[in-house]
Structure formats: structure tokens, C-alpha cells
């Protein structure tokens, strides 16, 4: 039996320290490399931040496993036991080019069920967090349960590339959705966009391709705030694969799913 309150206190302390280190890195020069393509960036700070968490988790919680974007954790093939799913910097392109709109994202799952979720917007010092069955917070402020939002008043987070080219489904319907809603936004950080759905800054977020470390923290936080997270088909998210993710306020999730995504 895990002591989730104790783990929660520990994670918050570590996130604060990691945030300090990232802030301090603004004054140093970054080492930037490309991964799968010239626009897929990783920096020394992504790798150092992932290592920061891994070293501490291994010492304090040796039985827990770690799935991290930069691959320094474990080769996780099943959801058994406690798994920390970590994106050390979500929004690396923003980190490199804009020094804002990036976050640390951590989801802690036990046998596939989210227990603790964290998204830390370092520049704004905003920590979104959730505890299974207890709700979600932004810093010390508890988030109100999300109210339904009509499509015509919705602000939807979507990356323009999905409107221009996507092989996942009928583009016309996505373009119709972009026309029907009040506005669209694209922040370039899946984790922050999920945190914004949880806090009501966005009414929905749609993406065709998110990895587990992009959504593990955010899924928990949105659900604890009363929102709904699924694949764009409405099916459950697979926690170990890349998924097309659709998160929204209650009611709006059903409306967009039935009228635009199906
Ligand atoms: P990252 O910055 O951690 O790589 C940008 O639109 C969002 O998509 C960010 O959350 C970014 O996370 C994520 N992202 C970037 N490249 C991706 C890829 N190849 N597959 C899935 N998500 C990606
Ligand atoms: Ca990346
Ligand atoms: Ca990411
Ligand atoms: Ca990342």
C-alpha cells in the first residue's frame, strides 16, 4: 500500500527544485539537438531534468518504474505496479525559442489507474495537480468542477497542422468545428493545453498524436476537474501508446464527438 500523501509532498518538492534548475538554465547557453526530424528538438536541460527525477525516484522508491520521454527510465511494457510517466519538458520548441509555454509533466499510475498528476508551468509558477478521487488544484486553489460549454462558446486547443493535413480522419469536419467554435488556440504544449482544459481556460483540446508522457499528468488532472478525456473516436486512451487525444468539458465532449469527430 503506497503512502500517496507522502509521495505527493515529495513530488511537489522535487518539481519545485527542478523548476528552479530550469529557470537558472535561461542564463546559460543550451545544447540543442534534433531527434526524429529537424524540428523535433531536445536539449541538455530536457535530459538533465529527466535524470534529476529518475535519480531521486530510484533512491526513494526503488520498486517503482519510470517511463520518460528521453529514454533514461525503464523499458515499460505493462501497466503493472507503480509507474511514473514523465515528460521533463513538454513544449521543448517553446522552451528553446520563446522561454515560455512549456511545462514539467508527471503522472503516477498504479496498475493503470492514475493516482497523482502534475503539470508545472515554470515561468508562471503555476502547478496544476490532482489526487485520485480528491479533485484538482492550481497551486493552492481547488479547481471548480467543469460546467458544460456549448460549441458556439467553446475555445478549442488544436494545432493548425491537423487542419491542414491529417490522415486520421475527415478534415472537412475539423474545419467545420474550427468555424463553429468561438475560437481556436495552439500553445505547443500538450500538457499545458490539458491543464487549461482542467482550469477552464480552454474548453477542449484535440490532437492526433500524443505520447503517454504528453498526456499522463494532464489526463488525471482533467478527469479530477470533471472533464472527459478519450481518443478522438471516444474510446479509452491506451496509456502505453501514442493516441489521438480529445479532452473537453462535460457535455461539450459528447457534442463534439457526435457532431464532428465520429
Ligand atoms: P515535446 O515538446 O515534449 O516534444 C507540440 O505540439 C506538442 O506535441 C508538445 O506537447 C510536444 O511535446 C508534442 N510532440 C512533439 N513532437 C511529437 C511527436 N513526434 N509525437 C508526439 N508528440 C509530439
Ligand atoms: Ca520531444
Ligand atoms: Ca511532450
Ligand atoms: Ca518533452
Amino acid at each position: 500500500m503506497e503512502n500517496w500523501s507522502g509521495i505527493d509532498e515529495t513530488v511537489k518538492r522535487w518539481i519545485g527544485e527542478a523548476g528552479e534548475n530550469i529557470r537558472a538554465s535561461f542564463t546559460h547557453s543550451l545544447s540543442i539537438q534534433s531527434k526524429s526530424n529537424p524540428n523535433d528538438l531536445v536539449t541538455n536541460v530536457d535530459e538533465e531534468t529527466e535524470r534529476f527525477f529518475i535519480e531521486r525516484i530510484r533512491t526513494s522508491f526503488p520498486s517503482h518504474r519510470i517511463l520518460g520521454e528521453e529514454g533514461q527510465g525503464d523499458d515499460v511494457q505493462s501497466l503493472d505496479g507503480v509507474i511514473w510517466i514523465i515528460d521533463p519538458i513538454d513544449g521543448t520548441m517553446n522552451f528553446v525559442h520563446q522561454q515560455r509555454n512549456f511545462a514539467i509533466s508527471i503522472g503516477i499510475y498504479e496498475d493503470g489507474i492514475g493516482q497523482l498528476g502534475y503539470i508545472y508551468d515554470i515561468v508562471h509558477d503555476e502547478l496544476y495537480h490532482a489526487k485520485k478521487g480528491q479533485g484538482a488544484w492550481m497551486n493552492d486553489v481547488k479547481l471548480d468542477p467543469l460546467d458544460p460549454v456549448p460549441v458556439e462558446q467553446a475555445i478549442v486547443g488544436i494545432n493548425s497542422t491537423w487542419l491542414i493535413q491529417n490522415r486520421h480522419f475527415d478534415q472537412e469536419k475539423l474545419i467545420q468545428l474550427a468555424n463553429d467554435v468561438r475560437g481556436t488556440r495552439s500553445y505547443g504544449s500538450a500538457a499545458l493545453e490539458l491543464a487549461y482544459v482542467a482550469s477552464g481556460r480552454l474548453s477542449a483540446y484535440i490532437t492526433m498524436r500524443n505520447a503517454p508522457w504528453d498526456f499522463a499528468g494532464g489526463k488525471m488532472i482533467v478527469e479530477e476537474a470533471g472533464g472527459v478525456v478519450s481518443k478522438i473516436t471516444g474510446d479509452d486512451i491506451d496509456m502505453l501508446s501514442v493516441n489521438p487525444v480529445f479532452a473537453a468539458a462535460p457535455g461539450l465532449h459528447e457534442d463534439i464527438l457526435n457532431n464532428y469527430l465520429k
Side-chain angles (χ1 to χ4, degrees), residues 32-33 41 99 137:
I32 305 165
Q33 270 157 356
L41 307 178
Q99 292 81 50
W137 290 260

Side-chain angles (χ1 to χ4, degrees), residues 69 87 89-92 189-191 210-211 213-215:
E69 177 178 10
D87 195 335
I89 297 188
D90 182 66
T92 297
S189 159
N210 260 359
W213 39 81
D214 297 319
F215 59 73

Side-chain angles (χ1 to χ4, degrees), residues 35-37 39-41 46 69-70 87 89-94 159 162 186-191 193 205 207 209-211 213-214 242:
K35 299 207 285 186
S36 63
N37 68 63
N39 301 327
D40 182 6
L41 307 178
D46 298 62
E69 177 178 10
E70 307 311 340
D87 195 335
I89 297 188
D90 182 66
T92 297
M93 196 187 290
N94 292 342
N159 185 319
W162 305 127
S186 179
Y187 295 94
S189 159
E193 286 169 285
Y205 171 59
T207 182
R209 201 181 55 197
N210 260 359
W213 39 81
D214 297 319
V242 169

